[in-house]
Amino acid sequence: MLGDGTGATVAPRKTPDESALERARERVIVALDCSGERALELADLLGEEVRWVKVGMELFYAEGAPVVRELKRRGLNVFLDLKLHDIPNTVRNAARVLSSLGADMLTVHAGGGDAMVAAAREGIDQGASQAGLRAPRLLAVTVLTSLDQDALGRLGVDRPVADHARLLARLACDNGADGVVCSPMEAPLMRAALPEGALVVTPGVRPAGSALGDQSRVATPGGAIAAGSTHLVVGRPITKAADPRGAARRDHRGGRPGAVTRS
Ligand code: C5P
């Protein structure tokens, strides 16, 4: 803090580049798909470079609530990606517990229906209020990106995938969800279908020129933002890098804007 001559203190002014980097840090969510020990090691390694981490089924089922508490203790925002899908009463109670752990984002499957999404919202709000915490943002998964038109047809859904995803996204947001998780290819559709301010969180992000892994529909960080993503989920390009901190910093700087690629 610097003195401004009045006895008050003011924060040092950030350069435009630093401000842009700071905004980018708020958007990147590092997926910790690994052991509990490695997750905490990565959290320490990434340090100030990362504000958000994602805990999915693999890590949560192995380590449970303590790993969430440890990540929170390190000052990180936690996206708890457990994709709840059950009867409304069960989802309400599960959401209440997860919210009381201090999660900052939670996921449900929109396919659980309007009453289930509304129940998740209620549970989240109750859990946070009982624990004296800010309520997590509720995100809905629409059509899993692993399902194509044929697979959807075999589930008895004959409308185009995009129409089905839009229907589920609207249903979720009409019932208390704050946004959706979707591929960068669907981000423009979601942006157009959802209210201003809805979150559009996209995995499948790869810095230009990096390995795709098992992702086939990918965007660069800049491309995903240009497509309408509010947050980017990046896993292996950061967690498997020889220098995860350096890789995170490079991701914040983005790739070629507009570069959404199919393989
Ligand atoms: O390592 P990678 O960057 O591919 O990790 C992406 C993360 O986003 C993983 O945790 C993965 O499970 C998740 N995810 C995804 N595609 C979806 C939904 C979630 O890759 N459609």
Side-chain angles (χ1 to χ4, degrees):
M1 293 293 213
L2 304 172
D4 65 355
T6 64
T9 53
V10 289
R13 187 169 293 158
K14 290 195 164 100
T15 64
D17 196 40
E18 281 169 342
S19 301
L21 202 56
E22 189 53 36
R23 280 198 303 280
R25 282 194 188 105
E26 294 296 334
R27 292 172 180 244
V28 172
I29 304 174
V30 178
L32 298 176
D33 299 318
C34 53
S35 70
E37 194 183 350
R38 178 67 180 153
L40 298 183
E41 195 177 281
L42 277 165
D44 292 336
L45 261 176
L46 293 167
E48 280 299 295
E49 215 48 69
V50 163
R51 302 276 189 273
W52 282 93
V53 290
K54 180 169 93 75
V55 174
M57 293 183 198
E58 179 184 345
L59 180 55
F60 192 78
Y61 289 159
E63 303 290 343
V67 75
V68 177
R69 294 205 181 93
E70 274 303 312
L71 292 166
K72 292 296 299 178
R73 208 171 58 76
R74 285 162 166 78
L76 289 159
N77 295 316
V78 176
F79 170 16
L80 206 39
D81 184 21
L82 301 179
K83 299 187 176 68
L84 306 182
H85 192 169
D86 209 317
I87 58 171
N89 188 54
T90 302
V91 167
R92 181 185 298 105
N93 294 338
R96 188 186 301 126
V97 172
L98 298 174
S99 166
S100 72
L101 298 181
D104 299 278
M105 281 183 190
L106 284 180
T107 44
V108 294
H109 275 284
D114 47 8
M116 192 209 77
V117 177
R121 177 83 261 163
E122 282 170 23
I124 277 181
D125 292 343
Q126 287 166 3
S129 133
Q130 284 161 7
L133 298 168
R134 201 176 53 173
R137 313 299 293 276
L138 177 62
L139 301 176
V141 176
T142 59
V143 179
L144 287 172
T145 50
S146 50
L147 295 176
D148 60 13
Q149 194 69 56
D150 288 345
L152 213 55
R154 290 193 293 279
L155 289 171
V157 178
D158 291 327
R159 67 169 71 87
V161 180
D163 290 355
H164 196 52
R166 183 171 26 226
L167 178 146
L168 289 170
R170 286 199 177 132
L171 174 144
C173 289
D174 285 347
N175 286 280
D178 298 298
V180 292
V181 184
C182 65
S183 90
M185 327 302 279
E186 285 172 346
L189 174 87
M190 294 299 168
R191 222 12 339 130
L194 297 179
E196 177 106 18
L199 300 182
V200 176
V201 178
T202 56
V205 174
R206 292 285 177 272
S210 77
L212 295 185
D214 52 6
Q215 298 280 13
S216 59
R217 296 184 300 156
V218 303
T220 62
I225 297 289
S229 305
T230 56
H231 294 80
L232 316 175
V233 178
V234 186
R236 288 160 293 179
I238 292 176
T239 59
K240 300 282 185 202
D243 170 17
R245 193 185 173 101
R249 202 174 169 83
R250 273 193 301 281
D251 266 4
H252 299 334
R253 293 192 181 281
R256 288 166 293 128
V260 178
T261 57
R262 285 170 197 273
S263 68

